Amino acid sequence: MTTLKVGDKAPNFEAFDQEGNIIKLSNYIGKKLVLFFYPKASTPGCTMQACNLRDNYQMFIAKGYDVLGVSADSQKRQQNFINKNNLPFPLLADENKDVINAFGVWGPKKFMGREYDGIHRTTFIIDEKGVIEDIIIKVKTKQHTSQIIE
């Protein structure tokens, strides 16, 4: 789906998180970033994925990674998702899809025979200089951490 490749500079972005704070890619210079895009907060697959990252969050921090989730949900829905699942990382409320489109993860999908446009579950690993180190397009929601850190 995405046209971005490993070795590309990650698109610069600026969006509000669940609390209304402005989050930018430049906030993460000097750290590795796990930037995961998911279709919809509080749905079963997205909850499994976020909770897998939550359960391994201290390991990510210890290895120099930050974690940031993105969907087109509202700030309120993102905050509810965080509260309900005790998520320790911010979630961008990308309602206008600026970040989603910059990373090329919006497009046609099929589910139960129905075709529609939506977010393709994709994770980008971005290095300390803002360069894409890895792109995971076949995300395993229950084992996502092991896909990120081999």
Side-chain angles (χ1 to χ4, degrees):
M1 182 70 223
T2 183
T3 58
L4 294 171
K5 298 179 295 306
V6 170
D8 286 351
K9 194 105 173 103
N12 204 8
F13 63 81
E14 185 173 302
F16 290 110
D17 72 2
Q18 73 284 350
E19 295 176 342
N21 301 311
I22 293 177
I23 305 283
K24 305 174 189 178
L25 178 62
S26 59
N27 297 140
Y28 297 96
I29 297 301
K31 294 180 179 178
K32 289 186 178 203
L33 178 63
V34 174
L35 181 66
F36 72 101
F37 292 86
Y38 59 96
K40 193 163 187 65
S42 298
T43 56
C46 296
T47 300
M48 276 189 275
Q49 180 182 11
C51 289
N52 177 263
L53 296 172
R54 172 202 67 201
D55 294 346
N56 294 285
Y57 184 67
Q58 289 310 315
M59 182 186 62
F60 283 115
I61 297 300
K63 291 183 177 281
Y65 289 87
D66 255 328
V67 178
L68 179 62
V70 185
S71 75
D73 293 300
S74 68
Q75 289 178 11
K76 184 176 195 258
R77 190 168 169 100
Q78 298 289 42
Q79 187 64 66
N80 289 343
F81 190 35
I82 286 173
N83 293 346
K84 195 158 86 176
N85 297 289
N86 297 314
L87 302 179
F89 41 79
L91 299 175
L92 296 184
D94 191 24
E95 291 181 274
N96 56 10
K97 301 180 190 71
D98 289 343
V99 182
I100 291 162
N101 287 324
F103 280 82
V105 296
W106 181 265
K109 297 175 76 169
K110 274 187 185 177
F111 183 68
M112 295 174 68
R114 194 172 67 90
E115 288 192 32
Y116 61 97
D117 282 345
I119 297 171
H120 289 257
R121 188 184 308 279
T122 309
T123 298
F124 294 84
I125 312 305
I126 302 169
D127 75 9
E128 299 88 344
K129 295 182 178 117
V131 174
I132 298 170
E133 220 173 57
D134 195 11
I135 302 171
I136 302 166
I137 42 179
K138 293 194 184 313
V139 172
K140 296 176 183 164
T141 57
K142 291 181 185 174
Q143 296 98 24
H144 197 37
T145 298
S146 59
Q147 289 182 288
I148 296 165
I149 300 174
E150 290 94 63

